[in-house]
Amino acid sequence: MKTKFSERHEVASIKIIDMLPDAEMGTARRLDEQLQTLAASTAGGLPAERLKVRTKAEFDVVMQRIVEACEAGLDVPILHFEAHGSPIGLEYPNGERLLWNDLAMNLTKINRASAHNLIVVMSTCYGSMLSSALSILRPAPFAILVAPSEPVSVGAIELPTERFYSDLLRQLQITDAFDRHLKQHRYISALGFFCRYWLSAYKLIGTAGGRERFREETLTYTLKRVPAANKKHARKAIKHHTPMVFQEQFELNQALFFHGAQPMTVADLKAMLNG
């Protein structure tokens, strides 16, 4: 059964990706035990599974298994990572590195297979570095990321993380649970990232200079991609129909970024500016 969370996302399970050395795996095990208890005792409880990953090869197998389950409609997980992190990525128990960009590529496949419903929680140092993979020019690797931006200790985040999940699964409001418990984490929304970019673009075409800049940038981009026979028509359309071109570009970008989902419209942008 899928459970609805705020910001229009649905999930069906929690997968704990345990990348800690065997001598340090107590935190992942305790979290798994807590989630199993919550699954049995609360209406919002979700089945939890701890997946031990020691090498890149094992990680690849786990990620592919999750992708296939999502594609088959059998799962939409929250992915919770327990690992040692650094500014460049995560560390496997055998000493290998998983770079943030490589992790993002794997998560993008899961986010696509789950129709942009992937929530990622990182109990790792520098976990928010994963957000550096967000780009308006490519599909989002996650819907929501909850992660520390600096070095953190187990003692500082273990209990707050347990309380976060307890509130999340009982109240189904991820932002409320985050605000209440995860003071050392950042909350990063792909929708928020997308909105900030397109709000700036929408404000830009509200001025004469901005409209001209938008036309020129769109024209440059478009003329590189259309056949020679269509260039004259494209130039005329962009020059005289800026609002229409803006909406078309917005919708195309939205379909790319959100893996085909359409969480908002140009009218929503207007409402944000006026609100």
Side-chain angles (χ1 to χ4, degrees), residues 173-188:
Q173 291 293 328
I174 190 169
T175 50
D176 290 347
F178 168 81
D179 288 339
R180 188 173 295 129
H181 300 296
L182 297 182
K183 307 300 182 184
Q184 297 195 34
H185 292 57
R186 291 178 60 200
Y187 179 95
I188 300 165

Side-chain angles (χ1 to χ4, degrees), residues 4 51 103 159 198 256:
K4 292 185 178 181
L51 303 170
L103 175 57
L159 184 57
W198 281 99
L256 169 71

Side-chain angles (χ1 to χ4, degrees), residues 15-30:
K15 296 287 189 289
I16 302 170
I17 311 300
D18 183 358
M19 297 173 60
L20 292 171
D22 289 345
E24 303 175 33
M25 67 182 182
T27 56
R29 175 181 52 77
R30 287 190 292 272

Side-chain angles (χ1 to χ4, degrees), residues 22-249:
D22 289 345
E24 303 175 33
M25 67 182 182
T27 56
R29 175 181 52 77
R30 287 190 292 272
L31 178 61
D32 183 39
E33 290 171 353
Q34 180 218 14
L35 293 174
Q36 300 290 353
T37 300
L38 284 170
S41 63
T42 65
L46 294 170
E49 182 181 10
R50 180 163 65 100
L51 303 170
K52 187 64 185 175
V53 171
R54 296 178 177 84
T55 65
K56 179 183 182 302
E58 291 181 358
F59 177 82
D60 290 343
V61 169
V62 165
M63 292 294 104
Q64 184 59 33
R65 170 186 153 191
I66 294 172
V67 169
E68 290 173 358
C70 291
E71 288 177 339
L74 301 175
D75 199 7
V76 179
I78 294 175
L79 291 188
H80 177 100
F81 285 83
E82 292 273 343
H84 289 300
S86 75
I88 64 171
L90 301 180
E91 184 176 310
Y92 294 105
N94 69 352
E96 292 180 288
R97 294 279 185 179
L98 172 59
L99 301 181
W100 293 120
N101 280 342
D102 292 337
L103 175 57
M105 285 191 289
N106 280 278
L107 296 180
T108 299
K109 296 175 185 177
I110 299 173
N111 199 28
R112 179 183 301 114
S114 63
H116 188 66
N117 279 291
L118 180 60
I119 297 173
V120 178
V121 181
M122 309 285 288
S123 286
T124 71
C125 297
Y126 301 103
S128 67
M129 290 294 295
L130 177 62
S131 66
S132 63
L134 279 174
S135 169
I136 208 72
L137 299 177
R138 56 179 178 260
F142 53 80
I144 295 171
L145 170 66
V146 176
S149 57
E150 298 177 351
V152 290
S153 66
V154 171
I157 65 171
E158 184 175 9
L159 184 57
T161 299
E162 291 177 0
R163 289 173 173 170
F164 163 77
Y165 278 113
S166 181
D167 275 10
L168 175 64
L169 297 179
R170 288 191 172 101
Q171 300 178 10
L172 310 185
Q173 291 293 328
I174 190 169
T175 50
D176 290 347
F178 168 81
D179 288 339
R180 188 173 295 129
H181 300 296
L182 297 182
K183 307 300 182 184
Q184 297 195 34
H185 292 57
R186 291 178 60 200
Y187 179 95
I188 300 165
S189 162
L191 179 60
F193 176 87
F194 181 86
C195 286
R196 285 190 294 275
Y197 174 86
W198 281 99
L199 278 170
S200 297
Y202 192 79
K203 290 177 184 177
L204 190 67
I205 67 166
T207 65
R211 283 191 295 276
E212 184 58 31
R213 177 180 161 189
F214 177 81
R215 290 190 194 106
E216 291 301 318
E217 290 180 356
T218 304
L219 189 61
T220 299
Y221 178 87
T222 303
L223 293 183
K224 289 179 180 178
R225 289 161 175 80
V226 300
N230 296 343
K231 289 185 185 295
K232 183 176 180 180
H233 173 75
R235 186 184 298 275
K236 182 178 180 180
I238 292 169
K239 181 177 180 181
H240 295 290
H241 302 287
T242 298
M244 187 182 301
V245 171
F246 179 91
Q247 178 155 336
E248 181 179 336
Q249 292 296 317

